[in-house]
Amino acid sequence: MAHQIEALNAQFALPEQLWFQTGENGLPKVQIDNKLASAEIYLQGGHITAFQPRGNKPVLWMSPLAQFQRNKAIRGGVPIIWPWFGPHAIDKHKPQHGFARTTEWQVNATKALPDSSTQLQLQMQDTPATQALWPHAFELNLSITVGTELKIELTSRNTGEQTITIGGALHSYFAVGDIGQIHIDGLLGHNYIDQLDSNRIKRQHEAIHIRQEVDRIYFDTEDTCTEGICAIFDAKLLRQIYIKRTGSRSTVIWNPWEKKAKAMADFPDNGYRQMVCIETANAVDDVRHLAPGETHTLSQIIGL
Ligand code: TA6
């Protein structure tokens, strides 16, 4: 491990803004500290576990019980869900939300950008282990830019001979002062699948307040959130977190509430009060079909 960290720093460290170190449970992680913000990314899963603009509180929620076990999902931050969202369509024994979030990514490049932000580029390709789960050739590139905003771009490339179908999500956990003192704008008038009510299709008639378990997939949101603001208004922390998205026409809103929170070993019983997931997704009918050589980019910009 120390050798890996040493080699990564020799090749990719950026003086006074990006370096590699041994993280929780010995997993390698990237620390970014620049004039504008700080962030932390684990190579396992290309998983952003912290983002904090200078002078602000953390924007992402991390579970204090997150396990950081090799090849296990990390609870909180921004899990990279790919190449399917939710349970595998046919084989329920395959990992929920795909395998990108439990695989170690490779470092491609690091850049100090002129606007004082810092960029980390990670890459993942098919391996015998991924082929066993999903028999396709692919190249996945993840670009993470840390500045006053956090920009995440996930680009899928079909490097095989057949058309592939990909789903996924940037499954962001946002930190809130108290779930009872927030509302979410930007999804007004959109239909959604209520995953807690037999997947019934419903319509959002007002701003979203969360007073119980919520697990909804909203559709046709690409324009709204690129043009307008899809945002969390937090009356306790007196801040607004905005999320702009491209390459996505499906947005997932999730809060496990009390019962589900208690049922998850890596989630504190009352953790649901301090978080909400707003996920930039390609889910259900919003999956994308890539012909050989084609690419698709799913991206989100998070800011205050
Ligand atoms: O956020 C939507 C969702 O699919 C929920 O149904 C819930 O399962 C959540 O993801 C977390 O999934 P995970 O596999 O990370 O426990």
Side-chain angles (χ1 to χ4, degrees):
M1 175 55 56
H3 175 70
Q4 179 192 20
I5 297 296
E6 197 180 318
L8 285 167
N9 277 319
Q11 189 172 1
F12 295 110
L14 299 172
E16 296 178 17
Q17 61 180 293
L18 182 150
W19 63 95
F20 297 79
Q21 60 190 97
T22 304
E24 294 285 339
N25 203 26
L27 296 179
K29 75 171 183 178
V30 184
Q31 184 65 42
I32 293 175
D33 268 305
N34 60 38
K35 275 191 329 195
L36 306 172
S38 64
E40 191 181 82
I41 303 102
Y42 277 77
L43 295 187
Q44 174 166 298
H47 198 126
I48 303 167
T49 52
F51 169 60
Q52 186 167 0
R54 288 271 168 259
N56 282 282
K57 295 185 187 320
V59 172
L60 301 175
W61 180 85
M62 268 304 291
S63 169
L65 303 181
Q67 308 279 305
F68 292 95
Q69 295 297 321
R70 277 192 192 291
N71 307 323
K72 293 277 183 216
I74 297 169
R75 179 70 62 192
V78 185
I80 301 293
I81 308 300
W82 194 90
W84 61 81
F85 180 88
H88 186 270
I90 299 160
D91 181 349
K92 300 303 174 218
H93 294 99
K94 292 188 175 178
Q96 152 107 334
H97 286 333
F99 49 75
R101 65 175 176 171
T102 52
T103 303
E104 182 162 316
W105 291 58
Q106 304 306 311
V107 182
N108 237 8
T110 53
K111 289 181 184 169
L113 299 178
D115 67 354
S116 300
S117 58
T118 310
Q119 188 175 86
L120 171 69
Q121 294 177 12
L122 303 176
Q123 189 174 83
M124 180 185 162
Q125 284 122 359
D126 57 289
T127 64
T130 67
Q131 288 270 358
L133 289 169
W134 193 64
H136 302 293
F138 66 87
E139 178 186 277
L140 205 49
N141 284 284
L142 179 63
S143 172
I144 299 167
T145 307
V146 176
T148 49
E149 297 176 322
L150 174 63
K151 185 170 186 181
I152 308 169
E153 297 168 290
L154 180 68
T155 299
S156 310
R157 175 186 302 281
N158 179 356
T159 55
E161 309 293 321
Q162 310 293 326
T163 293
I164 57 175
T165 297
I166 55 166
L170 304 174
H171 192 302
S172 311
Y173 288 71
F174 292 100
V176 299
D178 180 79
I179 195 69
Q181 299 182 53
I182 71 158
H183 70 269
I184 297 167
D185 266 358
L187 297 167
L188 200 54
H190 288 276
N191 288 338
Y192 63 90
I193 294 173
D194 186 342
Q195 299 205 94
L196 301 173
D197 184 10
S198 311
N199 288 341
R200 284 190 174 83
I201 307 282
K202 301 177 180 176
R203 194 167 184 79
Q204 189 63 41
H205 293 294
E206 68 281 319
I208 301 170
H209 294 85
I210 297 180
R211 300 286 183 273
Q212 60 192 19
E213 182 184 354
V214 166
D215 196 347
R216 303 173 183 170
I217 304 175
Y218 287 81
F219 287 98
D220 299 330
T221 58
E222 185 168 14
D223 297 338
T224 311
C225 288
T226 308
E227 290 156 20
I229 288 279
C230 188
I232 303 168
F233 290 81
D234 188 327
K236 184 161 185 183
L237 296 184
L238 298 176
R239 71 179 184 183
Q240 168 192 324
I241 298 174
Y242 62 79
I243 307 116
K244 298 176 188 167
R245 293 86 46 74
T246 61
S248 160
R249 284 190 301 279
S250 46
T251 303
V252 182
I253 306 284
W254 179 58
N255 184 289
W257 212 251
E258 196 166 0
K259 189 166 166 234
K260 277 263 172 70
K262 283 200 171 86
M264 292 185 277
D266 60 356
F267 199 112
D269 290 356
N270 64 351
Y272 71 95
R273 302 286 322 173
Q274 271 75 45
M275 55 69 69
V276 64
C277 284
I278 299 183
E279 306 160 32
T280 302
N282 290 135
V284 195
D285 298 343
D286 185 26
V287 293
R288 304 303 168 103
H289 308 286
L290 299 183
E294 270 192 337
T295 62
H296 170 67
T297 297
L298 178 67
S299 83
Q300 73 178 8
I301 295 175
I302 297 168
L304 292 173

